[in-house]
Amino acid sequence: MRGRMVLRTFRLGDWDPALPQAVVLALVFLVGALAGHLYAAGCGEETWTALGQYLDDYCLLYDAGAVETSMASCVVMYFGYAAVLFLLGFSAAGVVLIPALSGVFGFFTMYAVSCFVRCYGRAGAVLALGALIVRLVFTLPCFLVLAGAAWPLSMELFTLSFGRGKRSSPVLYGSRYFLLFLLCAVILGVGVCCERLLTPLLFRAALGSVS
């Protein structure tokens, strides 16, 4: 009996609430991705005709070297979600907004992939890979890590402000939270450089493989 109690105490002591929170955020991302796919599938023929023409023109211009993503656009694409997540960690509203942001990220990512696939069939998956793979390699892990760090802090603020935590001690932001954001910022900065150097090459290679 005593051994069972010791084992139970050991297991409870090792319980890390960050794991289920990370799983929830990942599931919300997947739900958003599914919603993006279904939304793309539900668009009418007129929408797809216009979108297909736009993507055709875009691919032609990109292949000719007439399309180049500006540094400002790359910075927004890479740092936008990260900056919002970092700030939401200081707000009780992040309890709702952080999972919502995870769903939005999944929605627009899968919507972009579905648009390529709908317009070009299997070749569209190759084009989407060339256009998005570099960005997702850098932004998705950083997003999930920052969301996993910011959401618990926002939950504590929510509890402190609106729940039973009104008499609790204030929420403390240790150096780990700021160092984590700094590390992600460095990684995303490398991602911006890779985006400008590698994505044009990958997308043109994808265009060449499907043309």
Side-chain angles (χ1 to χ4, degrees), residues 99-130:
L101 196 63
S102 182
V104 168
F105 191 6
F107 177 91
F108 283 111
T109 299
M110 185 53 68
Y111 178 73
V113 174
S114 297
C115 286
F116 276 105
V117 173
R118 178 67 182 270
C119 291
Y120 300 106
R122 293 182 179 179
V126 179
L127 292 174
L129 187 67

Side-chain angles (χ1 to χ4, degrees), residues 161-185:
S161 302
F162 303 103
R164 294 175 296 177
K166 291 185 177 180
R167 298 180 181 178
S168 302
S169 58
V171 179
L172 299 178
Y173 293 84
S175 59
R176 179 181 176 276
Y177 185 63
F178 296 93
L179 289 175
L180 185 63
F181 177 74
L182 181 61
L183 176 61
C184 287

Side-chain angles (χ1 to χ4, degrees), residues 2-202:
R2 181 176 298 179
R4 291 181 180 177
M5 292 180 63
V6 171
L7 182 59
R8 185 178 180 184
T9 302
F10 177 77
R11 289 178 177 174
L12 289 176
D14 283 352
W15 173 254
D16 186 3
L19 179 59
Q21 291 168 354
V23 171
V24 169
L25 291 172
L27 288 175
V28 173
F29 176 87
L30 293 176
V31 170
L34 178 61
H37 174 70
L38 294 176
Y39 180 80
C43 291
E45 290 300 325
E46 293 183 359
T47 300
W48 284 117
T49 300
L51 182 60
Q53 184 61 49
Y54 170 80
L55 289 178
D56 287 341
D57 294 340
Y58 179 83
C59 290
L60 289 173
L61 290 173
Y62 208 107
D63 192 35
V67 176
E68 182 179 358
T69 305
S70 66
M71 176 63 75
S73 298
C74 285
V75 170
V76 172
M77 288 189 299
Y78 274 75
F79 286 89
Y81 284 114
V84 172
L85 283 174
F86 179 72
L87 294 176
L88 286 176
F90 297 93
S91 171
V95 170
V96 175
L97 294 181
I98 290 174
L101 196 63
S102 182
V104 168
F105 191 6
F107 177 91
F108 283 111
T109 299
M110 185 53 68
Y111 178 73
V113 174
S114 297
C115 286
F116 276 105
V117 173
R118 178 67 182 270
C119 291
Y120 300 106
R122 293 182 179 179
V126 179
L127 292 174
L129 187 67
L132 300 174
I133 186 62
V134 173
R135 189 187 315 169
L136 290 177
V137 163
F138 287 94
T139 58
L140 184 56
C142 288
F143 179 92
L144 293 176
V145 168
L146 285 174
W151 201 26
L153 294 171
S154 185
M155 287 180 176
E156 293 183 26
L157 285 173
F158 182 83
T159 303
L160 184 65
S161 302
F162 303 103
R164 294 175 296 177
K166 291 185 177 180
R167 298 180 181 178
S168 302
S169 58
V171 179
L172 299 178
Y173 293 84
S175 59
R176 179 181 176 276
Y177 185 63
F178 296 93
L179 289 175
L180 185 63
F181 177 74
L182 181 61
L183 176 61
C184 287
V186 172
I187 293 173
L188 292 173
V190 174
V192 169
C193 297
C194 292
E195 175 78 18
R196 292 178 62 81
L197 293 174
L198 297 179
T199 297
L201 298 177
L202 293 175

